[in-house]
Structures are given as structure tokens and as C-alpha cells.
Amino acid sequence: MTLPGYKVFTPLIFVSFYVLALLTASSSGVSQSFQTQEKFWADPATGFAIGGYDVVSYWSNMGPVLGKDAYEVQMEKTTWRFSNQGNYEEFVKYAGVYTPQFSGYGAYAVSQGKAPRGNPRIWAIVDNKLYLFFSIEGKIKWQETRENSIRKAKEQWPALRRQIARPN
């Protein structure tokens, strides 16, 4: 005897388990990989983007936290770490939303034509974009003239990006 809806329900279960298996595989050791034109700053010793901080965590009430080795994504030759499964999945879906402006280099310094690495603990989110700063002083100066600093940094960034991308 066939239960009503059984034939419709069986393929749905199969597809559900298949999708669940894919999600589980992608989050348990199988590394994701993304292509990008940006060269994000990474710790030279570890290869972790922005010092291993979880970029999605900046949008939480807790602020930035270090990521864990259980939640990693490769983008080009840079490893991005996340503090939990939810942040990992959010980044995989929307990497462009969470990656810092100017590839994580100090926003105020970029507006001045320089490109020191941004400090992951000195940051701001403006118009849903993450900015890192080299120093507290740079952040204060940037905040005093924020719109002008962002405009100038956007003008300076293409030349700085080319300079950073050059092989040593």
C-alpha cells in the first residue's frame, strides 16, 4: 500500500539530504576558494587575512574576534578565518560585503597615498563598509574629514593597489 504523497516526498528527502551533505562537506575541511583582483593584507607568518580576525564579526555587538582553524576559506593565496559556522557561511555567500575597503590597508593612510597594513582592532563601519586603520591617530583624522578622506582614498587606491600587487 502506498501512502498519499509518498512518491513526491521521497525525491524531496533525497534532494534535502544531498544539499545537506554538500553543505556539511563544504564546512568541514573542504576549503572554499574564491578569485579576486584584490591582494588583501595577510600576516606574513600565517597567511591569515587581516591577522586572522573574523571579518563578519565586525558587524556583531561584540566587535572583532579572532577566527578559528575549523572555519577557513581560501581567497587567492590568503586564508580567511571565522569564529563560527554562521559567520563562515555568511562570508562564503557575501564575501564582497564583508571584505575590508582598500584590501584591509589603513584607510586614512591610503587617502594620503600610503599603504600600511590596517590594525584589525582599529576599525569603523560606514555605509555598511568596513575600514581598518593603521593607528588611532589615523582613525581620528579620518573621522574628522570622513567624506573627503574616503574620496581621496578611492582616488589613491588604484595606484597603490598596483604597487602592492607587484611581485617583490
Side-chain angles (χ1 to χ4, degrees):
M1 178 166 113
T2 304
L3 296 174
Y6 180 74
K7 291 182 181 181
V8 173
F9 188 66
T10 302
L12 183 60
I13 289 176
F14 176 76
V15 169
S16 297
F17 280 119
Y18 180 73
V19 169
L20 181 62
L22 286 176
L23 288 173
T24 304
S26 70
S27 65
S28 58
V30 178
S31 70
Q32 294 278 341
S33 182
F34 296 92
Q35 298 293 334
T36 180
Q37 297 299 318
E38 294 294 317
K39 183 175 182 180
F40 293 92
W41 88 254
D43 182 308
T46 64
F48 299 145
I50 66 169
Y53 278 80
D54 175 349
V55 290
V56 178
S57 70
Y58 286 86
W59 276 263
S60 73
N61 291 335
M62 292 177 18
V65 296
L66 284 169
K68 300 175 184 174
D69 61 355
Y71 310 107
E72 293 183 349
V73 171
Q74 292 287 87
M75 190 183 309
E76 296 293 327
K77 296 178 182 177
T78 306
T79 302
W80 296 79
R81 281 190 154 188
F82 304 93
S83 58
N84 59 57
Q85 181 72 29
N87 287 4
Y88 165 89
E89 291 173 1
E90 186 73 7
F91 184 83
V92 168
K93 288 180 194 171
Y94 307 107
V97 170
Y98 295 105
T99 53
Q101 299 300 294
F102 315 118
S103 297
Y105 291 88
Y108 180 74
V110 169
S111 75
Q112 302 301 303
K114 302 171 188 163
R117 293 180 180 152
N119 182 331
R121 293 176 306 246
I122 307 172
W123 58 280
I125 294 176
V126 175
D127 296 330
N128 213 30
K129 294 179 181 172
L130 174 62
Y131 296 90
L132 301 181
F133 301 91
F134 175 73
S135 67
I136 293 288
E137 294 80 14
K139 181 178 179 182
I140 291 168
K141 289 178 182 177
W142 182 84
Q143 287 175 321
E144 290 170 352
T145 59
R146 184 170 65 202
E147 289 179 22
N148 190 43
S149 291
I150 291 172
R151 182 187 55 74
K152 286 172 64 179
K154 286 179 179 179
E155 291 170 0
Q156 296 281 349
W157 183 240
L160 287 170
R161 181 175 54 200
R162 285 190 299 275
Q163 184 180 343
I164 292 165
R166 285 189 204 128
N168 295 333

